[in-house]
Amino acid sequence: MKFLDEAKIFIKAGDGGNGACSFRHEKFIEFGGPDGGNGGKGGDVVFEAVQNLNTLIDFRYQQHFKAQRGTNGMGRCKTGPSGDDLVIKVPVGTEIVADDRETVLADLMHPGDRFIAARGGLGGRGNDSFKSSTNQAPERADPGEPGEELWVWLRLKLIADIGLVGMPNAGKSTLLTALTRARPKIADYPFTTLHPNLGVATIDGREILLADIPGLIEGASEGTGLGTHFLKHVERCSVLIHLIDGTSEDVADSYRIIRHELEQYSPKLATKQEIVALNKTDALTPEEIREKQEQLEKVVGSPVFAISGVAHQGLTDLLRRAISFIPVKGETLNDTFEEKNEL
């Protein structure tokens, strides 16, 4: 399944049904009077967050959604049935954004969250509603009101416990594969990862959800590369694991570049809890590992983990440190959050 995290759609609530203009016609009843019923209300357009979705790809093939119209009123003072609501199911973590792409109308962060984006029109009144002592045979019946209609943007922000950030080829996808059963594409060239990948890791009886996003490069905050388009997917993470390629010449500079881009993208994201890990230590000598750890710790101001995703070294300690920043949930992650290696 292809991954799509943004889509623009048109929604229209149902129009209200027209009121009926009708008169009672029965044998032996000479003055039956009006008996036109009211029209039914149009259906609403409702967004609902569900757990079994993790992409907006369905909205690439259908962009127009319309709720059911209310039924017209009928004789014998019968009100027309209301139109059915149109429930549009979206992944948990979806924002409903106005056409200006800035105004957030709703943020559906929990399974079952609902938002009425467009309300159906009220049904028109039938002529029975207009009868009075001075107008005993009204011929007036109102049409139904039109339903609301608008264009909206759907913007998906994945909800994960841990976000993996770093420069291209830092080993984020390899680490995700080592910690979970996710199987993202891995290759020895930059920008192998072109879309976010999810995986569930288990440590000390707890399940935690990890998100791997495309690597960041210098100038990313100004639109260079792919990473900033996906940084929104780690905005809701409890902690970031910042991977540094241990084989790079200047590990401290690699760290500074990513930190600068995070700060430029979002001050809130830059203040999240961060764990720095020197990756690919299997390709380094013990002396090189210590030297590069010391270089990083001077910049970071906290201990730096030495790990290897390929050799599975130091991963347990890294995960235990990460879960110390993650609030304990009342229940484990739902099975529908199992590894999404092909989002």
Side-chain angles (χ1 to χ4, degrees), residues 274-313:
E274 178 190 58
I275 301 172
V276 180
L278 183 69
N279 195 19
K280 303 184 181 180
T281 55
D282 58 297
L284 304 175
T285 64
E287 292 76 15
E288 290 175 326
I289 294 174
R290 284 194 297 272
E291 179 184 348
K292 295 194 174 186
Q293 273 186 298
E294 290 174 359
Q295 292 176 10
L296 277 174
E297 288 173 354
K298 289 180 181 179
V299 179
V300 177
S302 61
V304 173
F305 286 80
I307 68 167
S308 171
V310 172
H312 291 233
Q313 296 174 353

Side-chain angles (χ1 to χ4, degrees), residues 165-280:
V165 298
M167 299 190 77
N169 234 28
K172 298 184 298 299
S173 297
T174 301
L175 179 61
L176 185 71
T177 301
L179 295 174
T180 73
R181 293 198 301 272
R183 294 296 175 265
K185 182 179 180 181
I186 299 173
D188 189 22
Y189 54 82
F191 296 114
T192 307
T193 300
L194 299 177
H195 57 74
N197 293 288
L198 291 178
V200 177
T202 303
I203 181 73
D204 297 335
R206 290 182 60 184
E207 290 183 341
I208 51 178
L209 187 65
L210 289 84
D212 163 34
I213 66 170
L216 302 173
I217 60 176
E218 189 170 8
S221 58
E222 299 174 0
T224 305
L226 300 172
T228 53
H229 180 70
F230 298 108
L231 270 176
K232 60 187 176 184
H233 294 300
V234 294
E235 285 184 342
R236 292 169 171 163
C237 294
S238 300
V239 60
L240 300 179
I241 293 181
H242 187 162
L243 285 187
I244 305 295
D245 185 352
T247 62
S248 62
E249 294 183 3
D250 192 340
V251 291
D253 188 56
S254 298
Y255 174 80
R256 291 191 192 98
I257 290 173
I258 300 303
R259 288 301 306 175
H260 175 73
E261 299 306 327
L262 292 177
E263 291 166 2
Q264 291 298 310
Y265 177 82
S266 168
K268 181 180 178 181
L269 184 60
T271 57
K272 281 190 176 295
Q273 294 288 350
E274 178 190 58
I275 301 172
V276 180
L278 183 69
N279 195 19
K280 303 184 181 180

